[in-house]
Amino acid sequence: MTLRPLTLICVLALGACTIPGVNDKDDPEETADGGGGAGDGGGEDEYTWEPCEETWVHYVGPDSPMVGDEWTIWLKCDGAILTGPTVIRFEPDLGFALVEDNVITWNKSGETLLYVQTGTERAELDVTVGNE
């Protein structure tokens, strides 16, 4: 395999880059958060975390699910989809549905309370599942 001259120049140039907070480990001003934390007086580019005003369970699937139907579910925060590790639980019975990633397949008919949590945000939804 041969590298073209332009590709080689680009690769060599990238190796010489300095990335703030990564390549300057000897910098005494460095903080545990990479030197750009909200408390360092960074100015206008500061980001302030704000909690969700409204969090709810969003799903794609039939509004009146039947045994065997699938729902793809996720949590929404003020209209934005929350991503990351998600916990899905059913009350009173964990076997109410099969859970694989964020897709649930309804196994039992009846009423259940669906709990969904992503990070520190959580919501619940009452669901009634009908027979096939």
Side-chain angles (χ1 to χ4, degrees):
M1 178 173 108
T2 60
L3 290 177
R4 295 180 185 196
L6 184 56
T7 304
L8 185 58
I9 291 171
C10 290
V11 170
L12 292 174
L14 287 174
C17 292
T18 299
I19 301 170
V22 174
N23 294 338
D24 57 353
K25 297 296 184 200
D26 295 326
D27 184 355
E29 298 296 318
E30 177 87 18
T31 62
D33 66 355
D40 69 353
E44 296 177 21
D45 292 340
E46 282 187 37
Y47 174 77
T48 303
W49 177 82
E50 295 187 24
C52 299
E53 289 184 27
E54 184 180 9
T55 305
W56 66 95
V57 176
H58 189 83
Y59 63 89
V60 173
D63 288 333
S64 299
M66 305 294 275
V67 171
D69 284 345
E70 288 185 352
W71 275 10
T72 301
I73 61 173
W74 54 87
L75 211 53
K76 285 196 127 180
C77 164
D78 302 333
I81 294 174
L82 295 176
T83 61
T86 299
V87 176
I88 300 170
R89 293 186 311 239
F90 304 92
E91 184 65 41
D93 186 1
L94 291 176
F96 209 86
L98 173 68
V99 179
E100 189 171 328
D101 296 327
N102 67 325
V103 177
I104 58 177
T105 304
W106 300 107
N107 289 334
K108 295 181 180 180
S109 62
E111 294 181 7
T112 187
L113 188 57
L114 169 65
Y115 293 97
V116 180
Q117 180 173 345
T118 303
T120 60
E121 300 294 335
R122 61 183 171 202
E124 57 188 54
L125 178 67
D126 286 313
V127 181
T128 301
V129 180
N131 286 323
E132 295 181 80

